[in-house]
Amino acid sequence: VDLIEAALAGNRLALARLISQVENQTPTGKQMLEQLYPRTGKAHLIGITGAPGVGKSSLVNRLAHAYREYQGGKVGVIAVDPSSPFTGGALLGDRVRMRDVAGDEGVFIRSMATRGALGGLARATAEVALVLDGAGYETILIETVGAGQGEVDIARLAHTTLVVEVPGMGDDIQAIKAGILEIADILVVNKADLPGVEGVERALKAMLEMAPEVEKQGWKTPVLRTISTLNTGFAELVKTIQDHKHYLYQSGGWLRRERARLAAELESLIQTSLVARWRGQVSDEKVQEVVDRLCTRHISPKQAVDELLS
Amino acid sequence: VDLIEAALAGNRLALARLISQVENQTPTGKQMLEQLYPRTGKAHLIGITGAPGVGKSSLVNRLAHAYREYQGGKVGVIAVDPSSPFTGGALLGDRVRMRDVAGDEGVFIRSMATRGALGGLARATAEVALVLDGAGYETILIETVGAGQGEVDIARLAHTTLVVEVPGMGDDIQAIKAGILEIADILVVNKADLPGVEGVERALKAMLEMAPEVEKQGWKTPVLRTISTLNTGFAELVKTIQDHKHYLYQSGGWLRRERARLAAELESLIQTSLVARWRGQVSDEKVQEVVDRLCTRHISPKQAVDELLS
């Protein structure tokens, strides 16, 4: 409780500790999340996704800067690194690249790695976003690698999703996927000083025209250029993100996304509770014994489930 | 049942239909999976993962060829495309690149896309692999993009995991992640005719030395070169994969991975069953009403769970 008060008063160390408690799912963390919950629901969650090598971290760094300059308010950054499930952390990339904004008291940065559990990362990210939201961070940037289901789950968490591409990848069918385009509210061509920028823009626009417009009535996905190294294009990017926010408010999309997000989180919590309840009722020995017979093909998966749930 | 007999007799159309039933989780599909289960457990599951653009599809194509030539037996290919969760399918990349082996009666190719459900893709892939295993495919190649949790789940499904890199990405900290190295049993530098091949090899070997050796006692992860366009390096790749298979047999790793895989699949089935049972006991209206109060912050997530599970 002291941690919450201190975090709300602007104590960054307290906030970091609070987040660790929540991330590690300690009883204290769960209790504090409960207490913070009534304060949440105000932040604008912005997802930034894209393949490795498109320069997401530098872009997020510049974008956080730009939000501070043009929009004001506190900015939270959550850097999600799902490709390191075993070591439990970004090797060093994220932390190094985030150095620029690390000195700004109005910017709070958190790196996350997956806990190995299926869907665990998406939920932990959602919870850290809730904490920052409750602690008064108006803008929360969530950076994630864009390729798998986990990233799509994280994109679903955001109100506004940016998909980042770079020149030179436009020719590769594998690099630009229809699914990624469909989750994009704004497309960003980063490293726009490299040759081939027109080509990738053309490819993106062509694919946008082919893609079915799922729940994006009235919003035409824009394609913007940025150059992180030269700090170019970020004023316009902030403006466009704000435009999308206003569009969401006016179209009812904000509430719809909020509702979908909370419903998904609730479902995941219920799933966890149900499994935990069941695990409390069955012995480890019983589970091992059933897995043994499953391995030797004496019983089928369905028979194993029936036996364990009976 | 007729489908099973026909598929076992080598009818490819029957096999394709059988897989569709299983993939779509129809009652027939579930029943047929039950029937096939006692026949499974023989196939060698080989995962091939790597970032977009490293040429996984061409490599898998060549590898399937090479298995047919040097090893014999039927080869199944499962191409997983997790980046297209909404459109439900590979755009065209996989199918185009797989053309070479498509004429070989001993090779069966299946493309999969995620169904949107969390963890759904990993389970569906596991089930399709079971069908191919039961239908007598001795070698099953599972191709997937390597970046997210879903891909790690799919790697866990395999007995042997190949991680593919290319020259020129070695300098980028983001491109080679420690987590990916830890799931690799064999590292492949594809497009090895490009400049920079020594650099990426050196970077990979250096990172391997830094990475903790998790459950890989006695197996030193080799780094091999391939050139898919010239069909170079595939005899040695097949030999190295077979070496890993023998290592798994001798070290007990085969059984350990099999057990871990089946236990994980069982847990996922139990989770699904528990949620389905619960959903049968609570009305949609009740759930909607609770989500409403959650959105307006009248109740917290924990209160919502307690209310829905009481």
Side-chain angles (χ1 to χ4, degrees):
Chain A
V1 185
D2 289 345
L3 271 188
I4 289 188
E5 273 173 30
L8 289 178
N11 183 329
R12 294 161 63 88
L13 186 60
L15 181 58
R17 284 188 182 152
L18 177 48
I19 289 176
S20 295
Q21 295 280 347
V22 168
E23 225 187 327
N24 296 326
Q25 305 209 294
T26 64
T28 317
K30 286 181 189 177
Q31 197 197 317
M32 291 192 291
L33 199 58
E34 285 288 301
Q35 273 188 268
L36 271 176
Y37 188 74
R39 293 177 174 274
T40 64
K42 296 177 200 100
H44 184 193
L45 274 55
I46 303 165
I48 297 99
T49 189
V54 300
K56 287 181 297 297
S57 295
S58 309
L59 184 136
V60 167
N61 193 342
R62 291 295 191 188
L63 186 57
H65 256 312
Y67 254 94
R68 294 285 293 156
E69 187 174 347
Y70 302 114
Q71 203 61 34
K74 292 198 286 181
V75 179
V77 175
I78 307 178
V80 181
D81 181 2
S83 51
S84 185
F86 297 102
T87 49
L91 205 62
L92 49 95
D94 291 333
R95 289 175 207 273
V96 171
R97 290 169 203 207
M98 292 291 178
R99 205 166 34 192
D100 284 9
V101 282
D104 181 345
E105 281 285 316
V107 179
F108 187 89
I109 298 162
R110 184 75 177 198
S111 281
M112 304 191 65
T114 129
R115 340 237 95 223
L118 205 89
L121 185 58
R123 201 177 68 199
T125 305
E127 289 179 348
V128 171
L130 270 181
V131 173
L132 290 173
D133 183 354
Y137 285 79
E138 285 102 330
T139 305
I140 299 174
L141 308 178
I142 304 172
E143 175 203 344
T144 180
V145 173
Q149 183 58 41
E151 292 63 58
V152 173
D153 293 328
I154 288 162
R156 284 201 183 112
L157 164 69
H159 299 106
T160 303
T161 298
L162 276 54
V163 173
V164 187
E165 300 283 345
V166 286
M169 296 183 90
D171 311 330
D172 189 335
I173 291 172
Q174 301 272 39
I176 304 179
K177 296 280 189 161
I180 286 292
L181 288 188
E182 282 166 56
I183 64 170
D185 298 306
I186 298 168
L187 284 163
V188 180
V189 180
N190 193 30
K191 305 186 183 179
D193 50 343
L194 293 182
V197 61
E198 291 85 4
V200 71
E201 269 184 354
R202 211 168 21 238
L204 289 171
K205 284 175 181 166
M207 290 196 75
L208 279 174
E209 280 172 23
M210 279 167 52
E213 296 235 358
V214 201
E215 78 140 330
K216 278 192 196 166
Q217 292 81 4
W219 177 257
K220 198 167 172 306
T221 308
V223 182
L224 298 184
R225 292 185 189 190
T226 55
I227 309 170
S228 297
T229 47
L230 303 175
N231 203 11
T232 302
F234 288 91
E236 205 195 332
L237 183 54
V238 170
K239 194 194 156 296
T240 308
I241 296 171
Q242 292 300 109
D243 285 348
H244 186 252
K245 185 182 183 180
H246 295 308
Y247 155 77
L248 286 178
Y249 278 149
Q250 287 175 354
S251 64
W254 185 275
L255 259 176
R256 210 162 47 236
R257 290 191 188 203
E258 191 80 359
R259 208 175 192 293
R261 175 158 70 89
L262 290 172
E265 210 190 318
L266 183 59
E267 197 181 305
S268 142
L269 284 173
I270 283 176
Q271 197 167 301
T272 310
S273 295
L274 286 170
V275 172
R277 280 187 185 191
W278 167 74
R279 273 316 260 121
Q281 288 165 358
V282 64
S283 72
D284 270 356
E285 292 72 30
K286 177 68 186 170
V287 174
Q288 294 310 320
E289 186 254 325
V290 170
V291 172
D292 281 340
R293 278 185 290 137
L294 188 63
C295 280
T296 53
R297 265 71 184 172
H298 283 98
I299 53 170
S300 72
K302 189 175 173 305
Q303 287 167 328
V305 170
D306 289 346
E307 201 169 318
L308 285 172
L309 292 187
S310 70
Chain B
V1 187
D2 287 344
L3 270 187
I4 290 189
E5 272 173 30
L8 290 177
N11 183 329
R12 293 160 64 88
L13 187 59
L15 180 58
R17 285 187 180 151
L18 178 49
I19 289 175
S20 295
Q21 295 279 347
V22 168
E23 227 187 323
N24 297 327
Q25 304 208 295
T26 64
T28 318
K30 287 180 187 176
Q31 196 197 318
M32 291 193 291
L33 200 57
E34 285 289 300
Q35 272 189 271
L36 271 175
Y37 188 75
R39 293 177 174 275
T40 63
K42 297 178 199 99
H44 184 195
L45 273 55
I46 303 164
I48 297 98
T49 189
V54 299
K56 286 182 298 300
S57 295
S58 309
L59 184 136
V60 166
N61 193 342
R62 291 295 191 187
L63 186 58
H65 256 312
Y67 254 94
R68 294 285 293 156
E69 186 174 347
Y70 302 114
Q71 204 59 33
K74 292 198 285 183
V75 178
V77 175
I78 308 178
V80 181
D81 181 2
S83 50
S84 185
F86 296 103
T87 48
L91 205 62
L92 49 95
D94 291 333
R95 290 176 206 273
V96 171
R97 290 168 203 210
M98 291 291 178
R99 206 166 33 192
D100 284 10
V101 283
D104 180 345
E105 281 285 316
V107 179
F108 187 89
I109 298 163
R110 184 76 178 198
S111 281
M112 303 191 66
T114 130
R115 339 239 97 222
L118 205 89
L121 185 59
R123 200 178 67 198
T125 305
E127 289 179 347
V128 171
L130 270 182
V131 174
L132 290 173
D133 183 355
Y137 285 79
E138 285 101 331
T139 306
I140 300 173
L141 308 178
I142 305 171
E143 177 203 344
T144 180
V145 172
Q149 183 58 40
E151 291 64 57
V152 172
D153 293 327
I154 288 163
R156 284 201 183 112
L157 164 70
H159 299 106
T160 303
T161 299
L162 276 55
V163 173
V164 187
E165 299 284 345
V166 285
M169 298 185 86
D171 311 330
D172 189 336
I173 291 172
Q174 299 273 39
I176 304 180
K177 297 279 190 162
I180 286 291
L181 287 188
E182 282 167 54
I183 64 169
D185 298 306
I186 298 168
L187 284 163
V188 180
V189 180
N190 194 29
K191 305 186 184 179
D193 50 343
L194 292 182
V197 61
E198 291 86 5
V200 71
E201 269 183 355
R202 211 166 24 237
L204 289 171
K205 284 175 182 167
M207 290 195 76
L208 279 175
E209 280 172 22
M210 280 167 52
E213 296 235 359
V214 202
E215 131 248 2
K216 277 193 198 167
Q217 293 80 5
W219 177 256
K220 198 169 170 308
T221 309
V223 182
L224 298 184
R225 292 183 189 190
T226 54
I227 309 169
S228 297
T229 47
L230 303 174
N231 202 13
T232 300
F234 288 91
E236 205 194 332
L237 182 54
V238 169
K239 192 193 157 298
T240 308
I241 296 171
Q242 292 300 108
D243 286 347
H244 186 252
K245 185 183 184 181
H246 294 309
Y247 154 77
L248 286 177
Y249 278 150
Q250 286 175 354
S251 64
W254 184 276
L255 260 174
R256 208 160 50 235
R257 290 192 187 201
E258 191 80 359
R259 216 186 134 79
R261 175 158 70 88
L262 290 172
E265 209 191 320
L266 183 58
E267 197 182 306
S268 142
L269 283 172
I270 283 176
Q271 197 167 301
T272 311
S273 294
L274 286 169
V275 172
R277 281 186 185 192
W278 167 74
R279 273 317 260 120
Q281 288 164 358
V282 64
S283 72
D284 271 357
E285 291 73 30
K286 176 70 186 167
V287 174
Q288 294 310 321
E289 186 254 324
V290 170
V291 171
D292 282 340
R293 279 184 290 137
L294 188 63
C295 279
T296 51
R297 266 73 184 172
H298 283 98
I299 53 170
S300 73
K302 190 178 172 306
Q303 287 168 328
V305 169
D306 289 347
E307 199 169 318
L308 285 172
L309 291 187
S310 70

